[in-house]
Amino acid sequence: MADQNLNLPKVIMHGPPALSSVLQPSYSQNFHIINPSFLPLHQFISTHTHLCSTVYAMLCYPGYPVTAHELRLLPSLRLVVTPSAGTDHIDLSECRHRGIRVAGAGNLFSADVADLAVALLIDVTMRISAADRCLKRRTPFASSHFPRSFKLTGKKVGIVGMGKIGIEVAHRLEAFGCIISYNSRNKKPLVKYPFYSTVVELATNNNALVLCCALNDQTRHTVNREVMLALGKEGVIVNVARGALIEENELLRCLMEGEIGGAGLDVFENEPHVNQRFFLLDNVVLSPHAGFSTSESFTGIAQLVGRNLEAFFSNKPLITPVI
Amino acid sequence: MADQNLNLPKVIMHGPPALSSVLQPSYSQNFHIINPSFLPLHQFISTHTHLCSTVYAMLCYPGYPVTAHELRLLPSLRLVVTPSAGTDHIDLSECRHRGIRVAGAGNLFSADVADLAVALLIDVTMRISAADRCLKRRTPFASSHFPRSFKLTGKKVGIVGMGKIGIEVAHRLEAFGCIISYNSRNKKPLVKYPFYSTVVELATNNNALVLCCALNDQTRHTVNREVMLALGKEGVIVNVARGALIEENELLRCLMEGEIGGAGLDVFENEPHVNQRFFLLDNVVLSPHAGFSTSESFTGIAQLVGRNLEAFFSNKPLITPVI
């Protein structure tokens, strides 16, 4: 096997030790997978200089930065693949500068992430998890035991980031009779919903905010105290994008002070660590960055990563190119 | 107040002690509310024969039967109002026979119940509450800690009962990319979805069943072991209609034996008691018959009950007549 491997294109892993499971057996046979496992990438490379000098592709993962530093360590690198929709862990301009291609998950997770966003919004609004918890503590039940729930139908929902996921969230929520508006970098000519040029204005005019935008220097901490106060005491924030879009300590403060009504969070500022103060709040529903982790999508991303690698090493166009 | 009351139309309550709160103050001033509180109806009437002999209207509640027995005790009764969509607690043919009108909730709760049905289906499928519970027990999180979740998009969902609620559920689920079919007493000419004439066939051809039909002698225990086995090991059952549509002990057995994948239940056979064996199952999401209990709908039903009573005592047509 080691001898066979020598002739296979080398792919280095840069992520959690289990990342290599994202390459299905059928695809992994076609590559020489180099897995530093629990070692930090730079440490592994420094002790395997020769092996790594001919690595052409990297499979990386959110939370594991691919910056100029990592790229310098791999002089032959020409492709970075991430099994994620977000690419904020990759220094794209440095990749561009070095002529390194990047492939992502394309729209593979859009439906799941949109489903999750809607699920979190209904859950917080109608108090589904809270009622489940409450019921399991006391039976017979009486409505007076249960937290106050609210209607979803007719609610005004502001979507931050009107890309593929934002569009899918809007489409689903319209079927619930919600009224949609949005904010994004620019007004989108093909999007029919009302546009607000700032997140504060969007919050002022809506009952809920759903965050579906990319994280970058412009969007970091875009949901600050001012936005939360504009959203108001019954307002709900759903985040299925990136934790750092929200000033998390302010969110906690506003939730505890009753300045906003509730939150549904799939992402956190210090993932995979979650601030345990969230656990005490009955009006918060937490999800472990699971927007992409349905069984079907896991199979799908494994295939997609393999197909991008196959395409790259056959000099064909990437299936889901980022750059 | 007692003197004033003598001239007001009498409305007797037959339900939980807090039922009179369903009549808003503005409406309750227009009626002489007779509330047996914790006394059973027949016992209250037997000790208040004179008072009850001129009761023209009753406000009843699911779980508190209005049968020939109760009706006989109230010889002047001409109207029964229930603040529910379901009327299985009322002997409608006996009411018809006695010339007693019945008013229900009409479609007031349809949107909320449909929202809840979709919420329960997503929750069980994508493991929202289970992941929330799991995350609150351990951080940092890793995807391997969490229960396997499934995609909603593309799932085939069979709806039992294609009335107003069934239609609203179908409409919402179509926006998620689900494929809809249905079973009802008869094929509905205006409904575009494929029709199956039995619930077993519907279960055989779908990944999930959503129960939205009325409870009656034909539908009682319609979801039996045969239906559950036909639905299969990854199948999900959602019930937002009435508990007795399902053979609950069989459901528990099938869930525990892994013969079906999960269940989302807003209703139970012995409400308000819930079989505590459900509490041990991670693939079950429970809701306390809450389909109608959003804050907005509670205000709405209070007004609607009042308006039906007002209409009846002014000899106008009922707002939301059942018979």
Side-chain angles (χ1 to χ4, degrees):
Chain A
M1 191 54 155
D3 285 346
Q4 281 177 352
N5 264 350
L6 291 177
N7 298 320
L8 294 175
K10 296 196 188 88
V11 180
I12 196 163
M13 302 281 139
H14 180 37
L19 178 60
S20 54
S21 68
V22 167
L23 278 170
Q24 290 199 305
S26 59
Y27 285 106
S28 62
Q29 286 168 16
N30 301 338
F31 308 105
H32 176 178
I33 308 290
I34 301 171
N35 194 344
S37 192
F38 288 97
L39 275 187
L41 186 70
H42 66 91
Q43 201 173 326
F44 178 84
I45 295 175
S46 68
T47 54
H48 297 77
T49 327
H50 181 67
L51 177 73
C52 295
S53 68
T54 52
V55 163
Y56 288 102
M58 173 194 278
L59 177 55
C60 68
Y61 199 78
Y64 293 77
V66 182
T67 65
H69 174 66
E70 283 77 21
L71 296 174
R72 247 196 311 272
L73 298 172
L74 294 162
S76 302
L77 197 73
R78 289 293 169 270
L79 175 70
V80 172
V81 184
T82 180
S84 60
T87 54
D88 49 286
H89 52 304
I90 304 171
D91 184 337
L92 293 181
S93 68
E94 185 66 20
C95 286
R96 243 184 233 107
H97 177 66
R98 290 174 173 267
I100 295 172
R101 306 289 314 274
V102 177
N107 290 326
L108 188 77
F109 303 127
S110 302
D112 283 0
V113 176
D115 289 355
L116 182 64
V118 175
L120 291 174
L121 180 59
I122 308 181
D123 193 324
V124 176
T125 305
M126 298 188 82
R127 303 283 191 253
I128 307 291
S129 311
D132 177 77
R133 264 197 305 278
C134 189
L135 196 155
K136 286 170 178 170
R137 281 199 299 263
R138 58 196 296 176
T139 176
F141 61 74
S143 56
S144 54
H145 301 157
F146 288 90
R148 223 171 130 211
S149 76
F150 296 91
K151 226 179 164 67
L152 186 60
T153 301
K155 286 286 177 294
K156 290 183 285 178
V157 182
I159 297 179
V160 182
M162 200 43 113
K164 176 75 174 157
I165 293 172
I167 290 283
E168 295 232 8
V169 170
H171 176 59
R172 284 157 175 71
L173 288 177
E174 276 201 294
F176 288 86
C178 293
I179 300 144
I180 309 294
S181 55
Y182 77 105
N183 160 264
S184 61
R185 232 171 340 176
N186 301 301
K187 187 171 179 346
K188 307 215 164 193
L190 295 178
V191 171
K192 64 181 178 180
Y193 310 110
F195 170 77
Y196 290 99
S197 60
T198 70
V199 179
V200 174
E201 277 179 276
L202 190 72
T204 306
N205 289 284
N206 280 286
N207 307 115
L209 288 184
V210 179
L211 310 185
C212 306
C213 64
L215 175 66
N216 53 45
D217 290 346
Q218 285 73 52
T219 60
R220 184 175 303 273
H221 285 184
T222 194
V223 178
N224 52 23
R225 187 169 180 86
E226 188 192 5
V227 169
M228 296 181 216
L229 296 182
L231 191 61
K233 291 185 191 301
E234 292 188 352
V236 172
I237 294 175
V238 169
N239 191 0
V240 289
R242 284 291 177 269
L245 294 170
I246 302 179
E247 280 190 20
E248 205 169 89
N249 281 325
E250 273 308 331
L251 175 63
L252 271 160
R253 197 169 302 143
C254 284
L255 284 164
M256 288 189 289
E257 290 170 357
E259 295 292 352
I260 66 166
L265 305 172
D266 187 42
V267 287
F268 306 90
E269 272 209 272
N270 300 308
E271 279 179 35
H273 295 271
V274 179
N275 191 321
Q276 301 201 14
R277 285 190 290 160
F278 281 122
F279 300 179
L280 305 171
L281 300 169
D282 212 42
N283 52 347
V284 172
V285 183
L286 305 176
S287 168
H289 203 143
F292 65 96
S293 64
T294 63
S295 300
E296 296 89 341
S297 290
F298 194 79
T299 308
I301 192 62
Q303 289 175 339
L304 185 61
V305 165
R307 286 172 61 216
N308 271 302
L309 289 168
E310 295 273 4
F312 175 77
F313 286 112
S314 320
N315 290 314
K316 289 182 187 154
L318 295 177
I319 313 299
T320 44
V322 176
I323 56 173
Chain B
M1 188 57 153
D3 286 344
Q4 281 177 351
N5 265 350
L6 290 177
N7 298 320
L8 294 175
K10 295 195 188 90
V11 180
I12 195 164
M13 302 281 139
H14 179 36
L19 178 61
S20 54
S21 68
V22 169
L23 278 171
Q24 292 199 302
S26 59
Y27 286 104
S28 61
Q29 287 168 16
N30 300 337
F31 307 104
H32 175 178
I33 308 289
I34 302 171
N35 194 345
S37 194
F38 288 95
L39 274 187
L41 186 70
H42 66 92
Q43 202 173 326
F44 178 84
I45 295 175
S46 69
T47 53
H48 298 77
T49 327
H50 181 69
L51 178 72
C52 294
S53 68
T54 52
V55 163
Y56 288 102
M58 173 194 277
L59 176 55
C60 68
Y61 199 77
Y64 293 76
V66 183
T67 66
H69 174 68
E70 284 76 23
L71 297 173
R72 246 196 314 273
L73 298 172
L74 296 162
S76 303
L77 197 72
R78 289 295 168 268
L79 174 70
V80 173
V81 184
T82 180
S84 59
T87 54
D88 49 286
H89 53 302
I90 306 170
D91 184 338
L92 293 181
S93 67
E94 184 66 21
C95 285
R96 247 184 229 106
H97 176 69
R98 289 175 175 264
I100 295 172
R101 306 289 314 275
V102 177
N107 290 325
L108 188 76
F109 302 127
S110 302
D112 284 358
V113 176
D115 289 354
L116 182 64
V118 175
L120 291 174
L121 180 59
I122 308 181
D123 193 323
V124 176
T125 305
M126 298 190 80
R127 303 282 191 254
I128 308 292
S129 310
D132 178 77
R133 265 197 305 279
C134 189
L135 197 155
K136 286 171 178 170
R137 279 198 301 262
R138 59 195 296 174
T139 178
F141 61 73
S143 56
S144 54
H145 302 156
F146 288 90
R148 223 171 130 210
S149 77
F150 296 90
K151 224 177 164 68
L152 186 60
T153 301
K155 286 284 176 298
K156 291 183 285 177
V157 182
I159 297 178
V160 182
M162 200 43 112
K164 176 76 174 154
I165 293 172
I167 290 284
E168 296 231 8
V169 170
H171 175 59
R172 284 157 175 73
L173 288 177
E174 275 201 294
F176 288 86
C178 294
I179 300 145
I180 309 294
S181 55
Y182 76 106
N183 160 263
S184 61
R185 231 172 342 177
N186 303 300
K187 187 170 177 351
K188 308 217 163 190
L190 296 179
V191 171
K192 63 180 178 178
Y193 310 109
F195 170 76
Y196 291 98
S197 59
T198 70
V199 178
V200 174
E201 278 180 273
L202 190 73
T204 305
N205 290 284
N206 280 286
N207 307 115
L209 289 183
V210 180
L211 310 184
C212 306
C213 65
L215 176 66
N216 54 45
D217 290 345
Q218 285 73 50
T219 60
R220 184 175 303 274
H221 285 185
T222 194
V223 178
N224 53 24
R225 186 169 180 85
E226 190 192 3
V227 168
M228 294 179 218
L229 296 183
L231 191 61
K233 291 185 191 300
E234 292 189 350
V236 172
I237 295 175
V238 169
N239 191 0
V240 290
R242 285 292 177 268
L245 294 170
I246 302 180
E247 280 190 19
E248 204 168 271
N249 281 324
E250 275 305 332
L251 175 64
L252 272 160
R253 199 168 302 145
C254 284
L255 285 165
M256 286 189 288
E257 290 169 357
E259 294 292 352
I260 65 167
L265 306 172
D266 187 42
V267 288
F268 306 91
E269 271 209 273
N270 300 308
E271 279 179 35
H273 295 271
V274 180
N275 191 319
Q276 301 200 12
R277 285 189 290 159
F278 281 122
F279 299 179
L280 305 172
L281 300 169
D282 212 41
N283 53 346
V284 172
V285 183
L286 305 176
S287 165
H289 203 145
F292 65 95
S293 63
T294 62
S295 300
E296 296 88 342
S297 290
F298 195 80
T299 308
I301 193 62
Q303 289 174 339
L304 185 61
V305 164
R307 286 171 59 215
N308 271 304
L309 290 167
E310 296 273 3
F312 175 78
F313 287 113
S314 320
N315 290 314
K316 290 181 186 154
L318 295 177
I319 313 298
T320 44
V322 176
I323 56 174

